Amino acid sequence: MKKTKKVLSMLLAGAMALSVAGCSGSNSGNSGNETTAASGDTAAATAADTTAADASSGGQSEDSQTYKVGICQLVQHDALDAATKGFIDALKEELGDAVTFDEQNAQGDSNTCSTIINNFVSADVDLILANATASLQAAQAGTNEIPILGTSVTEYGVALGIDDFNGTVGGNISGTSDLAPLDEQAAMLNELFPDAKKVGLLYCSAEANSQYQVDVVKAALEDMGYTCEYYSFSDSNDLSAIVTKAASESDVIYIPTDNTAASATEIIDNICRPAGIPIIAGEEGICKGCGVATLSISYYDLGVATGKMAAKILKGESDISQMPIEYAPQFTKKYNKAICDSLGIQIPDGYEAIEE
């Protein structure tokens, strides 16, 4: 946050004007006094013009504050892209041209997240947006001074290693969570596939929040009588083999909110749809790419909420250490018409078709 102050220079200019006026008055008669008065009037008019110009510029003068925000997004896919866009739109609406963004994408590499964050710290940005869990973890390791807001992070206690998490991280971290009601996602699977027996839980083992989600969903599904099996892949390199195994051994597959899976939905769809295996997804982006249904949030709205939090921090209206994690206000049942039609699945009333 930078502010240029002109008070000192104006005072010096005023002092010089008075000094010149005093010299003129001591060396001249009445005409000198008239000249001094005229000079004073001119200076006053100039000052008035300057004040008016500053006011007419809407505060975007040398006196106005400017902010630089660093954005570290783990990987490019629909959900994270929407969250970033919502964040930028909301912050621009609040701060206008006073805020600029350094937007970086780690292309799915957590080590690259660390490099991006370190560059932000070196550049002394005013705030960091960490989009996805790996980005948040890198930001936590990179700085304890620059304000950090997470988004598209499912469970902050798990992501940051906080035992007995009470909803507020404290220190220099807060943000928004994309956690959907996992028990309701399990109930959706049961609603659509009550006769299924085996459910495959497909997720990336490198994402701590994915493990958290499948654990909760597994417990809920087993209470309903399903047999559940974990199918974890370490990265995109072993994804195809794991998905093939899951499709051959499951009646239905559940994929949580998982960034690696979200960036590889075409691979998953090309294996599961020909095998006739439906997928219940943890979020809309995955469902759009390979799923039949989801109980999801609007990631754009989640980004907007994060942007509003950022504006309060930058303007000094809120203390980030006291800001609790915010959650999506509503969830929507959605379905993928194209995949449902190809698998012959009838979706009951109360579901909204995902836009193509």
PDB file of all heavy atoms in Angstrom, residues 174-201:
ATOM      1  N   SER A 174      -7.268 -16.552   6.235  1.00  0.00           N
ATOM      2  CA  SER A 174      -8.704 -16.826   6.290  1.00  0.00           C
ATOM      3  C   SER A 174      -9.122 -17.232   4.875  1.00  0.00           C
ATOM      4  O   SER A 174      -8.276 -17.563   4.051  1.00  0.00           O
ATOM      5  CB  SER A 174      -9.492 -15.612   6.786  1.00  0.00           C
ATOM      6  OG  SER A 174     -10.851 -15.978   7.007  1.00  0.00           O
ATOM      7  N   GLY A 175     -10.422 -17.204   4.585  1.00  0.00           N
ATOM      8  CA  GLY A 175     -10.852 -17.546   3.234  1.00  0.00           C
ATOM      9  C   GLY A 175     -12.229 -18.155   3.172  1.00  0.00           C
ATOM     10  O   GLY A 175     -13.042 -18.003   4.085  1.00  0.00           O
ATOM     11  N   THR A 176     -12.484 -18.870   2.086  1.00  0.00           N
ATOM     12  CA  THR A 176     -13.791 -19.485   1.843  1.00  0.00           C
ATOM     13  C   THR A 176     -13.618 -20.971   1.548  1.00  0.00           C
ATOM     14  O   THR A 176     -12.605 -21.398   0.998  1.00  0.00           O
ATOM     15  CB  THR A 176     -14.503 -18.824   0.648  1.00  0.00           C
ATOM     16  OG1 THR A 176     -13.668 -18.906  -0.517  1.00  0.00           O
ATOM     17  CG2 THR A 176     -14.825 -17.366   0.954  1.00  0.00           C
ATOM     18  N   SER A 177     -14.636 -21.748   1.909  1.00  0.00           N
ATOM     19  CA  SER A 177     -14.604 -23.199   1.732  1.00  0.00           C
ATOM     20  C   SER A 177     -15.630 -23.642   0.695  1.00  0.00           C
ATOM     21  O   SER A 177     -16.737 -23.102   0.630  1.00  0.00           O
ATOM     22  CB  SER A 177     -14.903 -23.893   3.063  1.00  0.00           C
ATOM     23  OG  SER A 177     -15.149 -25.275   2.879  1.00  0.00           O
ATOM     24  N   ASP A 178     -15.255 -24.646  -0.105  1.00  0.00           N
ATOM     25  CA  ASP A 178     -16.180 -25.203  -1.095  1.00  0.00           C
ATOM     26  C   ASP A 178     -16.811 -26.507  -0.612  1.00  0.00           C
ATOM     27  O   ASP A 178     -17.325 -27.296  -1.410  1.00  0.00           O
ATOM     28  CB  ASP A 178     -15.469 -25.439  -2.432  1.00  0.00           C
ATOM     29  CG  ASP A 178     -14.307 -26.421  -2.329  1.00  0.00           C
ATOM     30  OD1 ASP A 178     -14.035 -26.924  -1.215  1.00  0.00           O
ATOM     31  OD2 ASP A 178     -13.659 -26.686  -3.364  1.00  0.00           O
ATOM     32  N   LEU A 179     -16.771 -26.736   0.695  1.00  0.00           N
ATOM     33  CA  LEU A 179     -17.301 -27.975   1.257  1.00  0.00           C
ATOM     34  C   LEU A 179     -18.819 -28.048   1.079  1.00  0.00           C
ATOM     35  O   LEU A 179     -19.562 -27.209   1.572  1.00  0.00           O
ATOM     36  CB  LEU A 179     -16.951 -28.080   2.746  1.00  0.00           C
ATOM     37  CG  LEU A 179     -17.453 -29.333   3.471  1.00  0.00           C
ATOM     38  CD1 LEU A 179     -16.807 -30.583   2.876  1.00  0.00           C
ATOM     39  CD2 LEU A 179     -17.154 -29.244   4.962  1.00  0.00           C
ATOM     40  N   ALA A 180     -19.270 -29.073   0.365  1.00  0.00           N
ATOM     41  CA  ALA A 180     -20.695 -29.337   0.215  1.00  0.00           C
ATOM     42  C   ALA A 180     -21.111 -30.337   1.297  1.00  0.00           C
ATOM     43  O   ALA A 180     -20.258 -31.031   1.865  1.00  0.00           O
ATOM     44  CB  ALA A 180     -20.987 -29.894  -1.176  1.00  0.00           C
ATOM     45  N   PRO A 181     -22.404 -30.438   1.595  1.00  0.00           N
ATOM     46  CA  PRO A 181     -22.847 -31.410   2.600  1.00  0.00           C
ATOM     47  C   PRO A 181     -22.587 -32.833   2.100  1.00  0.00           C
ATOM     48  O   PRO A 181     -23.295 -33.341   1.228  1.00  0.00           O
ATOM     49  CB  PRO A 181     -24.351 -31.118   2.722  1.00  0.00           C
ATOM     50  CG  PRO A 181     -24.552 -29.763   2.136  1.00  0.00           C
ATOM     51  CD  PRO A 181     -23.509 -29.629   1.074  1.00  0.00           C
ATOM     52  N   LEU A 182     -21.569 -33.467   2.632  1.00  0.00           N
ATOM     53  CA  LEU A 182     -21.151 -34.772   2.123  1.00  0.00           C
ATOM     54  C   LEU A 182     -22.193 -35.852   2.381  1.00  0.00           C
ATOM     55  O   LEU A 182     -22.356 -36.779   1.567  1.00  0.00           O
ATOM     56  CB  LEU A 182     -19.812 -35.161   2.750  1.00  0.00           C
ATOM     57  CG  LEU A 182     -18.651 -34.210   2.423  1.00  0.00           C
ATOM     58  CD1 LEU A 182     -17.403 -34.579   3.223  1.00  0.00           C
ATOM     59  CD2 LEU A 182     -18.343 -34.226   0.931  1.00  0.00           C
ATOM     60  N   ASP A 183     -22.905 -35.744   3.495  1.00  0.00           N
ATOM     61  CA  ASP A 183     -23.960 -36.727   3.753  1.00  0.00           C
ATOM     62  C   ASP A 183     -25.085 -36.605   2.729  1.00  0.00           C
ATOM     63  O   ASP A 183     -25.692 -37.610   2.331  1.00  0.00           O
ATOM     64  CB  ASP A 183     -24.504 -36.570   5.174  1.00  0.00           C
ATOM     65  CG  ASP A 183     -25.032 -35.179   5.465  1.00  0.00           C
ATOM     66  OD1 ASP A 183     -24.644 -34.219   4.754  1.00  0.00           O
ATOM     67  OD2 ASP A 183     -25.839 -35.019   6.400  1.00  0.00           O
ATOM     68  N   GLU A 184     -25.336 -35.387   2.246  1.00  0.00           N
ATOM     69  CA  GLU A 184     -26.364 -35.191   1.234  1.00  0.00           C
ATOM     70  C   GLU A 184     -25.894 -35.677  -0.138  1.00  0.00           C
ATOM     71  O   GLU A 184     -26.708 -36.111  -0.961  1.00  0.00           O
ATOM     72  CB  GLU A 184     -26.769 -33.717   1.170  1.00  0.00           C
ATOM     73  CG  GLU A 184     -27.489 -33.229   2.426  1.00  0.00           C
ATOM     74  CD  GLU A 184     -27.939 -31.786   2.317  1.00  0.00           C
ATOM     75  OE1 GLU A 184     -28.253 -31.335   1.201  1.00  0.00           O
ATOM     76  OE2 GLU A 184     -27.965 -31.106   3.368  1.00  0.00           O
ATOM     77  N   GLN A 185     -24.585 -35.619  -0.390  1.00  0.00           N
ATOM     78  CA  GLN A 185     -24.067 -36.199  -1.622  1.00  0.00           C
ATOM     79  C   GLN A 185     -24.228 -37.722  -1.596  1.00  0.00           C
ATOM     80  O   GLN A 185     -24.577 -38.340  -2.615  1.00  0.00           O
ATOM     81  CB  GLN A 185     -22.603 -35.812  -1.821  1.00  0.00           C
ATOM     82  CG  GLN A 185     -22.409 -34.349  -2.169  1.00  0.00           C
ATOM     83  CD  GLN A 185     -20.972 -34.010  -2.510  1.00  0.00           C
ATOM     84  OE1 GLN A 185     -20.068 -34.818  -2.316  1.00  0.00           O
ATOM     85  NE2 GLN A 185     -20.754 -32.808  -3.021  1.00  0.00           N
ATOM     86  N   ALA A 186     -23.986 -38.327  -0.437  1.00  0.00           N
ATOM     87  CA  ALA A 186     -24.199 -39.765  -0.291  1.00  0.00           C
ATOM     88  C   ALA A 186     -25.679 -40.108  -0.472  1.00  0.00           C
ATOM     89  O   ALA A 186     -26.030 -41.109  -1.123  1.00  0.00           O
ATOM     90  CB  ALA A 186     -23.709 -40.232   1.077  1.00  0.00           C
ATOM     91  N   ALA A 187     -26.552 -39.262   0.076  1.00  0.00           N
ATOM     92  CA  ALA A 187     -27.993 -39.488  -0.072  1.00  0.00           C
ATOM     93  C   ALA A 187     -28.414 -39.365  -1.531  1.00  0.00           C
ATOM     94  O   ALA A 187     -29.326 -40.083  -1.989  1.00  0.00           O
ATOM     95  CB  ALA A 187     -28.761 -38.495   0.794  1.00  0.00           C
ATOM     96  N   MET A 188     -27.783 -38.470  -2.297  1.00  0.00           N
ATOM     97  CA  MET A 188     -28.066 -38.336  -3.726  1.00  0.00           C
ATOM     98  C   MET A 188     -27.715 -39.626  -4.465  1.00  0.00           C
ATOM     99  O   MET A 188     -28.477 -40.094  -5.319  1.00  0.00           O
ATOM    100  CB  MET A 188     -27.284 -37.157  -4.315  1.00  0.00           C
ATOM    101  CG  MET A 188     -27.332 -37.072  -5.835  1.00  0.00           C
ATOM    102  SD  MET A 188     -26.308 -35.732  -6.480  1.00  0.00           S
ATOM    103  CE  MET A 188     -27.365 -34.329  -6.104  1.00  0.00           C
ATOM    104  N   LEU A 189     -26.555 -40.182  -4.146  1.00  0.00           N
ATOM    105  CA  LEU A 189     -26.176 -41.445  -4.779  1.00  0.00           C
ATOM    106  C   LEU A 189     -27.215 -42.522  -4.482  1.00  0.00           C
ATOM    107  O   LEU A 189     -27.616 -43.288  -5.375  1.00  0.00           O
ATOM    108  CB  LEU A 189     -24.791 -41.878  -4.286  1.00  0.00           C
ATOM    109  CG  LEU A 189     -24.137 -43.078  -4.967  1.00  0.00           C
ATOM    110  CD1 LEU A 189     -22.610 -42.946  -4.927  1.00  0.00           C
ATOM    111  CD2 LEU A 189     -24.542 -44.407  -4.321  1.00  0.00           C
ATOM    112  N   ASN A 190     -27.667 -42.577  -3.256  1.00  0.00           N
ATOM    113  CA  ASN A 190     -28.670 -43.559  -2.864  1.00  0.00           C
ATOM    114  C   ASN A 190     -30.008 -43.311  -3.560  1.00  0.00           C
ATOM    115  O   ASN A 190     -30.722 -44.255  -3.933  1.00  0.00           O
ATOM    116  CB  ASN A 190     -28.841 -43.531  -1.350  1.00  0.00           C
ATOM    117  CG  ASN A 190     -29.864 -44.524  -0.862  1.00  0.00           C
ATOM    118  OD1 ASN A 190     -30.911 -44.165  -0.321  1.00  0.00           O
ATOM    119  ND2 ASN A 190     -29.577 -45.814  -1.053  1.00  0.00           N
ATOM    120  N   GLU A 191     -30.356 -42.032  -3.742  1.00  0.00           N
ATOM    121  CA  GLU A 191     -31.607 -41.679  -4.423  1.00  0.00           C
ATOM    122  C   GLU A 191     -31.598 -42.148  -5.880  1.00  0.00           C
ATOM    123  O   GLU A 191     -32.598 -42.671  -6.384  1.00  0.00           O
ATOM    124  CB  GLU A 191     -31.819 -40.168  -4.369  1.00  0.00           C
ATOM    125  CG  GLU A 191     -33.051 -39.676  -5.125  1.00  0.00           C
ATOM    126  CD  GLU A 191     -33.166 -38.157  -5.146  1.00  0.00           C
ATOM    127  OE1 GLU A 191     -32.112 -37.477  -5.134  1.00  0.00           O
ATOM    128  OE2 GLU A 191     -34.307 -37.661  -5.182  1.00  0.00           O
ATOM    129  N   LEU A 192     -30.456 -41.976  -6.547  1.00  0.00           N
ATOM    130  CA  LEU A 192     -30.375 -42.303  -7.967  1.00  0.00           C
ATOM    131  C   LEU A 192     -30.060 -43.774  -8.222  1.00  0.00           C
ATOM    132  O   LEU A 192     -30.478 -44.334  -9.247  1.00  0.00           O
ATOM    133  CB  LEU A 192     -29.320 -41.422  -8.637  1.00  0.00           C
ATOM    134  CG  LEU A 192     -29.593 -39.912  -8.633  1.00  0.00           C
ATOM    135  CD1 LEU A 192     -28.439 -39.154  -9.277  1.00  0.00           C
ATOM    136  CD2 LEU A 192     -30.903 -39.596  -9.349  1.00  0.00           C
ATOM    137  N   PHE A 193     -29.313 -44.389  -7.302  1.00  0.00           N
ATOM    138  CA  PHE A 193     -28.882 -45.771  -7.525  1.00  0.00           C
ATOM    139  C   PHE A 193     -29.122 -46.624  -6.274  1.00  0.00           C
ATOM    140  O   PHE A 193     -28.186 -47.131  -5.653  1.00  0.00           O
ATOM    141  CB  PHE A 193     -27.397 -45.803  -7.916  1.00  0.00           C
ATOM    142  CG  PHE A 193     -27.078 -44.924  -9.089  1.00  0.00           C
ATOM    143  CD1 PHE A 193     -26.418 -43.716  -8.905  1.00  0.00           C
ATOM    144  CD2 PHE A 193     -27.466 -45.276 -10.379  1.00  0.00           C
ATOM    145  CE1 PHE A 193     -26.130 -42.894  -9.982  1.00  0.00           C
ATOM    146  CE2 PHE A 193     -27.189 -44.457 -11.459  1.00  0.00           C
ATOM    147  CZ  PHE A 193     -26.527 -43.262 -11.263  1.00  0.00           C
ATOM    148  N   PRO A 194     -30.397 -46.811  -5.912  1.00  0.00           N
ATOM    149  CA  PRO A 194     -30.699 -47.561  -4.685  1.00  0.00           C
ATOM    150  C   PRO A 194     -30.370 -49.051  -4.784  1.00  0.00           C
ATOM    151  O   PRO A 194     -30.183 -49.713  -3.751  1.00  0.00           O
ATOM    152  CB  PRO A 194     -32.208 -47.339  -4.521  1.00  0.00           C
ATOM    153  CG  PRO A 194     -32.707 -47.066  -5.906  1.00  0.00           C
ATOM    154  CD  PRO A 194     -31.608 -46.310  -6.576  1.00  0.00           C
ATOM    155  N   ASP A 195     -30.296 -49.576  -6.010  1.00  0.00           N
ATOM    156  CA  ASP A 195     -30.043 -51.010  -6.177  1.00  0.00           C
ATOM    157  C   ASP A 195     -28.558 -51.338  -6.353  1.00  0.00           C
ATOM    158  O   ASP A 195     -28.191 -52.514  -6.482  1.00  0.00           O
ATOM    159  CB  ASP A 195     -30.830 -51.544  -7.386  1.00  0.00           C
ATOM    160  CG  ASP A 195     -32.337 -51.392  -7.200  1.00  0.00           C
ATOM    161  OD1 ASP A 195     -32.796 -51.502  -6.041  1.00  0.00           O
ATOM    162  OD2 ASP A 195     -33.045 -51.141  -8.199  1.00  0.00           O
ATOM    163  N   ALA A 196     -27.713 -50.337  -6.409  1.00  0.00           N
ATOM    164  CA  ALA A 196     -26.274 -50.582  -6.545  1.00  0.00           C
ATOM    165  C   ALA A 196     -25.745 -51.230  -5.265  1.00  0.00           C
ATOM    166  O   ALA A 196     -26.282 -51.050  -4.176  1.00  0.00           O
ATOM    167  CB  ALA A 196     -25.542 -49.281  -6.822  1.00  0.00           C
ATOM    168  N   LYS A 197     -24.679 -51.999  -5.420  1.00  0.00           N
ATOM    169  CA  LYS A 197     -24.072 -52.677  -4.270  1.00  0.00           C
ATOM    170  C   LYS A 197     -22.681 -52.142  -3.946  1.00  0.00           C
ATOM    171  O   LYS A 197     -22.346 -51.921  -2.786  1.00  0.00           O
ATOM    172  CB  LYS A 197     -23.985 -54.188  -4.541  1.00  0.00           C
ATOM    173  CG  LYS A 197     -25.307 -54.856  -4.864  1.00  0.00           C
ATOM    174  CD  LYS A 197     -26.295 -54.744  -3.716  1.00  0.00           C
ATOM    175  CE  LYS A 197     -27.599 -55.463  -4.059  1.00  0.00           C
ATOM    176  NZ  LYS A 197     -28.622 -55.278  -2.978  1.00  0.00           N
ATOM    177  N   LYS A 198     -21.877 -51.937  -4.987  1.00  0.00           N
ATOM    178  CA  LYS A 198     -20.487 -51.550  -4.788  1.00  0.00           C
ATOM    179  C   LYS A 198     -20.230 -50.121  -5.283  1.00  0.00           C
ATOM    180  O   LYS A 198     -20.566 -49.802  -6.423  1.00  0.00           O
ATOM    181  CB  LYS A 198     -19.557 -52.517  -5.515  1.00  0.00           C
ATOM    182  CG  LYS A 198     -19.638 -53.950  -5.020  1.00  0.00           C
ATOM    183  CD  LYS A 198     -18.689 -54.848  -5.812  1.00  0.00           C
ATOM    184  CE  LYS A 198     -18.752 -56.285  -5.321  1.00  0.00           C
ATOM    185  NZ  LYS A 198     -17.835 -57.175  -6.095  1.00  0.00           N
ATOM    186  N   VAL A 199     -19.653 -49.317  -4.433  1.00  0.00           N
ATOM    187  CA  VAL A 199     -19.327 -47.933  -4.795  1.00  0.00           C
ATOM    188  C   VAL A 199     -17.810 -47.748  -4.747  1.00  0.00           C
ATOM    189  O   VAL A 199     -17.173 -48.037  -3.722  1.00  0.00           O
ATOM    190  CB  VAL A 199     -19.992 -46.923  -3.841  1.00  0.00           C
ATOM    191  CG1 VAL A 199     -19.579 -45.494  -4.210  1.00  0.00           C
ATOM    192  CG2 VAL A 199     -21.508 -47.069  -3.876  1.00  0.00           C
ATOM    193  N   GLY A 200     -17.249 -47.286  -5.851  1.00  0.00           N
ATOM    194  CA  GLY A 200     -15.825 -46.985  -5.887  1.00  0.00           C
ATOM    195  C   GLY A 200     -15.583 -45.531  -5.539  1.00  0.00           C
ATOM    196  O   GLY A 200     -16.246 -44.637  -6.067  1.00  0.00           O
ATOM    197  N   LEU A 201     -14.661 -45.275  -4.638  1.00  0.00           N
ATOM    198  CA  LEU A 201     -14.323 -43.910  -4.210  1.00  0.00           C
ATOM    199  C   LEU A 201     -13.013 -43.523  -4.888  1.00  0.00           C
ATOM    200  O   LEU A 201     -11.937 -43.985  -4.494  1.00  0.00           O
ATOM    201  CB  LEU A 201     -14.200 -43.850  -2.692  1.00  0.00           C
ATOM    202  CG  LEU A 201     -15.420 -44.365  -1.911  1.00  0.00           C
ATOM    203  CD1 LEU A 201     -15.097 -44.498  -0.432  1.00  0.00           C
ATOM    204  CD2 LEU A 201     -16.622 -43.452  -2.124  1.00  0.00           C
TER     205      LEU A 201
END
